Amino acid sequence: MDRRARDAARARHLGWLPTIIQGWIIGERVPPYRFPGDTTPGHRLPPLGVPLEQAFAAHVACTRREIWRTGELSSEVRVLREKNERLERQNERLEERNDRLEAQVETLRLQVSQLMTQHGQIVDVMQEHDVRITENRTDITETQAMVQASDAMLNAWAAQFIEEPPQEDGPEFEAEDLEEEDFDEDPNEDPEEEDDDGDAASDISHVSMDSD
């Protein structure tokens, strides 16, 4: 009794299975199974050698395992997809940065080209100045040579009109010949005049005393 109840419950639980399988057979156009002694023409499935229930159970188990693996792969694929999206966004940012850097490089290239042009112009100007400086130095050297030649000519011309005065032969004497008294006394002074001066001074002193 219990066995019959279990079979009935199992039949009710799996009652949907034959209907689904029939729908699959019709939808997928699965050819019929070849039974032993079947001689009808047409394509048939090869004999399995096992009951169909056992084959179907194995198919369900394999399908469940493949679904589980597919779920895992789906998770990995989802993770990889998210990572790929992050990498794509990062790649977009890098491309934008690369575009900005390329624009900056192009600007710097133009600036370098302008600086090279200016440098070439400056080099040309410096070369012209060097040539002018060399010419000026040559002119200065020639001018100095002309000035020196002119000075020499003027000195030679002026030397013709310059006469040196003749040297007079005077008496020669030595300092030792002079004595101290020669410096103290005037040789042209009269000694009598000195006495007269002394007498006059004494007379003046007497007169001043008498008046007192």
Side-chain angles (χ1 to χ4, degrees):
M1 185 65 183
D2 295 335
R3 183 177 180 181
R4 292 178 181 178
R6 287 196 301 270
D7 293 339
R10 185 179 300 171
R12 287 193 303 271
H13 179 70
L14 298 177
W16 53 270
L17 186 58
T19 304
I20 292 178
I21 292 175
Q22 289 177 2
W24 290 350
I25 291 172
I26 295 171
E28 300 297 333
R29 297 180 181 180
V30 179
Y33 178 74
R34 185 180 295 276
F35 294 96
D38 187 5
T39 59
T40 57
H43 181 66
R44 295 288 187 273
L45 291 176
L48 299 177
V50 294
L52 291 178
E53 292 81 358
Q54 187 178 2
F56 183 75
H59 174 70
V60 171
C62 291
T63 303
R64 184 183 296 111
R65 185 169 57 252
E66 292 297 328
I67 291 172
W68 181 73
R69 290 180 180 178
T70 303
E72 290 183 349
L73 293 176
S74 299
S75 300
E76 294 178 359
V77 169
R78 184 177 61 256
V79 173
L80 292 175
R81 186 179 291 111
E82 292 176 355
K83 185 176 181 180
N84 188 22
E85 291 177 355
R86 290 195 299 270
L87 291 175
E88 287 180 354
R89 290 192 296 269
Q90 186 176 1
N91 188 23
E92 290 177 357
R93 290 193 297 269
L94 291 175
E95 288 180 354
E96 293 177 356
R97 183 178 180 183
N98 189 22
D99 294 337
R100 291 194 298 270
L101 291 176
E102 287 180 354
Q104 293 178 1
V105 168
E106 187 65 23
T107 303
L108 292 175
R109 187 179 291 109
L110 293 175
Q111 292 178 358
V112 169
S113 178
Q114 294 176 358
L115 291 175
M116 292 297 293
T117 303
Q118 294 178 0
H119 181 264
Q121 295 175 356
I122 292 172
V123 170
D124 294 337
V125 172
M126 291 180 65
Q127 290 178 354
E128 292 178 359
H129 287 176
D130 291 338
V131 172
R132 292 180 181 177
I133 289 171
T134 304
E135 293 177 353
N136 291 334
R137 288 178 179 175
T138 304
D139 295 339
I140 290 171
T141 303
E142 294 177 354
T143 303
Q144 289 178 352
M146 293 174 63
V147 169
Q148 292 177 358
S150 178
D151 291 340
M153 292 175 63
L154 289 173
N155 292 331
W157 179 77
Q160 297 176 1
F161 300 96
I162 296 174
E163 294 181 358
E164 295 181 358
Q167 296 182 357
E168 297 179 356
D169 296 334
E172 295 180 359
F173 61 90
E174 295 180 358
E176 295 178 354
D177 297 336
L178 299 177
E179 296 180 357
E180 293 180 358
E181 59 184 8
D182 295 334
F183 291 99
D184 296 336
E185 297 179 358
D186 188 0
N188 297 324
E189 186 178 0
D190 189 2
E192 294 180 356
E193 292 180 359
E194 292 181 357
D195 296 337
D196 294 338
D197 294 335
D199 295 337
S202 62
D203 294 337
I204 292 171
S205 61
H206 289 300
V207 171
S208 61
M209 291 176 65
D210 294 336
S211 63
D212 293 337

